[in-house]
């Protein structure tokens, strides 16, 4: 933490490369994360990827965000309320996972990914809907997060103008009738758990248009629900998986070290066998040579008599 500075709005770009690589890997997976960052236990930014976004941060501490208090209070992956990113100027949702010390369970920091909700906005804006039908996604604060009538999420998060809290809700898609903009409309809606909150997905259509294709209405709603659940679930799972990658790499390193020790022992044994073989060959060569050299020496010194031509 002593590397955190006002200039870099965190640690320098070349510091703690291991964690930065993990963040870059998350961004490379194309889950439409605007940025991934690591926050200190007190909420100070430790680093943010991409680094170009880090140095543009307007402040260093983000303990005021609900993802900070939510991750600390739940002790697990927490999906935040929707807010407008100060850097990117559009609606995002933070997925935060606290990281604890394995020994004493103290908080080391919080990994956070900011999911660009414009991705979902673009997806549902291209869906095939019924006549005068539109889709809304409403968060736990009754704010309209996604509106299929728009091409992108607005910077301003608007509130829902009608209330469905008094409607009986079941496990399946629920149907209600409301007067919206002076039109009797049918609303098909489903409440979904998003992290520790509940969001509502709504299909709204004027009553006289809805009965024309009621079956198609329900199918599209269910399909859109599956899409939203998949995006949020995969994002949360991917965050956890990538955070644990250092544990997997550590296990792999230990395995590789064990294999290396085995290979080293095998090489040492091979060297011993090679030395033994060399000694044996040398000995077997010297055995017949020694008497030959001895007799040659006798002849040279004429100890066996004078040498003749023969």
């Amino acid at each position: 933490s002593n590397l955190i500075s006002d200039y870099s709005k965190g640690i320098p770009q070349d510091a703690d490369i291991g964690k930065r690589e993990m963040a870059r890997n998350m961004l490379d997976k194309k889950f439409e994360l605007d940025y991934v960052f690591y926050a200190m236990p007190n909420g100070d930014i430790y680093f943010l990827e991409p680094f170009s976004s880090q140095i543009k941060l307007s402040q260093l501490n983000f303990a005021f965000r609900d993802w900070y208090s939510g991750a600390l209070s739940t002790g697990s992956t927490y999906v935040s309320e929707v807010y407008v990113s100060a850097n990117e100027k559009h609606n995002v949702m933070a997925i935060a996972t606290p990281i604890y010390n394995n020994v004493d369970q103290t908080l080391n920091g919080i990994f956070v990914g900011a999911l660009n909700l414009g991705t979902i906005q673009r997806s549902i804006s291209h869906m095939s809907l019924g006549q005068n039908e539109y889709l809304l996604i409403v968060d736990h604060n009754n704010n309209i997060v996604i509106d299929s009538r728009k091409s992108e999420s607005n910077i301003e998060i608007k509130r829902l103008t009608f209330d469905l809290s008094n409607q009986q809700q079941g496990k399946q898609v629920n149907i209600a009738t409301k007067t919206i903009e002076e039109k009797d409309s049918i609303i098909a809606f489903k409440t979904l758990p998003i992290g520790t909150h509940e969001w509502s997905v709504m299909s709204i259509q004027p009553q006289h248009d809805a009965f024309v294709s009621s079956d198609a209405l329900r199918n599209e709603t269910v399909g859109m629900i599956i899409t939203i659940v998949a995006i949020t679930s995969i994002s949360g799972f991917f965050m956890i998986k990538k955070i644990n990658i250092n544990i997997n790499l550590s296990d792999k390193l230990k395995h590789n070290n064990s294999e290396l020790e085995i290979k080293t022992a095998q090489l040492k044994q091979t060297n011993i066998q090679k030395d033994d073989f060399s000694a044996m060959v040398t000995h077997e060569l010297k055995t017949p040579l020694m008497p030959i050299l001895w007799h040659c020496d006798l002849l040279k010194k004429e100890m066996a008599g004078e040498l003749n031509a023969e």
Side-chain angles (χ1 to χ4, degrees):
S1 60
N2 61 325
L3 296 177
I4 296 176
S5 70
D6 291 333
Y7 171 74
S8 60
K9 303 298 190 299
I11 62 174
Q13 187 173 11
D14 57 354
D16 207 339
I17 297 300
K19 286 191 183 67
R20 282 194 181 274
E21 282 298 324
M22 292 172 62
R24 290 167 189 160
N25 288 337
M26 294 181 205
L27 292 173
D28 290 342
K29 289 298 180 180
K30 307 303 180 186
F31 281 109
E32 300 297 339
L33 296 172
D34 280 342
Y35 43 82
V36 176
F37 61 92
Y38 192 87
M40 301 293 286
N42 66 349
D44 284 348
I45 293 296
Y46 182 61
F47 75 82
L48 183 145
E49 283 293 332
F51 183 72
S52 56
S53 295
Q54 175 180 314
I55 59 178
K56 292 192 299 182
L57 288 172
S58 58
Q59 59 193 89
L60 285 176
N61 188 278
F62 285 86
F64 66 92
R65 291 291 190 194
D66 76 308
W67 56 257
Y68 175 80
S69 57
L72 265 60
S73 62
T74 61
S76 61
T77 299
Y78 180 86
V79 180
S80 78
E81 63 185 18
V82 176
Y83 63 94
V84 179
S85 167
N87 264 10
E88 305 301 329
K89 308 302 181 184
H90 55 228
N91 294 350
V92 297
M93 179 176 67
I95 304 170
T97 300
I99 308 299
Y100 292 96
N101 187 298
N102 287 333
V103 178
D104 56 10
Q105 293 302 304
T106 56
L107 181 68
N108 284 343
I110 306 174
F111 248 120
V112 186
L115 179 65
N116 181 2
L117 293 180
T119 304
I120 306 175
Q121 179 73 62
R122 289 190 295 272
S123 297
I124 69 171
S125 65
H126 293 99
M127 289 181 65
S128 176
L129 303 175
Q131 184 175 353
N132 296 319
E133 178 190 6
Y134 60 96
L135 300 179
L136 298 180
I137 298 178
V138 181
D139 70 6
H140 57 285
N141 291 323
N142 222 30
N143 294 319
I144 299 175
V145 178
I146 302 295
D147 186 338
S148 66
R149 295 170 295 181
K150 304 180 185 300
S151 58
E152 292 286 345
S153 280
N154 287 342
I155 294 178
E156 180 185 2
I157 302 174
K158 299 181 179 180
R159 294 185 66 83
L160 194 67
T161 56
F162 54 88
D163 185 17
L164 294 175
S165 59
N166 59 348
Q167 298 293 322
Q168 184 176 1
Q169 299 185 18
K171 294 182 179 180
Q172 304 302 319
V173 176
N174 304 280
I175 305 296
T177 57
K178 288 282 183 181
T179 300
I180 303 174
E181 297 175 355
E182 299 181 351
K183 295 180 181 179
D184 291 335
S185 301
I186 290 182
I187 305 171
F189 67 99
K190 174 71 175 178
T191 300
L192 299 172
I194 304 294
T196 57
H197 305 304
E198 287 189 340
W199 286 14
S200 294
V201 182
M202 303 179 184
S203 170
I204 302 173
Q205 191 174 24
Q207 199 169 63
H208 68 276
D209 294 324
F211 286 114
V212 175
S213 55
S214 59
D215 291 337
L217 170 70
R218 296 189 183 195
N219 292 337
E220 290 286 356
T221 303
V222 172
M224 186 268 299
I225 289 171
I226 294 173
T227 300
I228 303 304
V229 171
I231 290 176
T232 55
S233 298
I234 290 173
S235 298
F237 170 77
F238 181 72
M239 177 73 71
I240 297 172
K241 181 179 177 182
K242 286 301 177 182
I243 289 171
N244 289 328
I245 194 172
N246 56 339
I247 298 176
N248 296 332
L249 288 175
S250 177
D251 292 341
K252 187 175 180 180
L253 183 60
K254 290 179 181 178
H255 177 71
N256 290 342
N257 285 339
S258 298
E259 289 187 346
L260 185 60
E261 289 176 0
I262 294 172
K263 294 292 184 182
T264 302
Q266 291 175 345
L267 286 174
K268 288 181 179 179
Q269 184 61 32
T270 301
N271 281 333
I272 292 172
Q273 293 175 350
K274 181 191 70 174
D275 292 340
D276 291 344
F277 178 75
S278 298
M280 182 269 291
V281 170
T282 302
H283 176 72
E284 293 300 323
L285 286 174
K286 284 183 177 179
T287 299
L289 285 175
M290 291 306 296
I292 294 174
L293 292 171
W294 180 68
H295 282 90
C296 287
D297 190 54
L298 290 178
L299 293 173
K300 285 171 65 177
K301 295 178 179 178
E302 297 184 351
M303 295 179 67
E306 185 178 352
L307 289 177
N308 55 34
E310 183 181 355

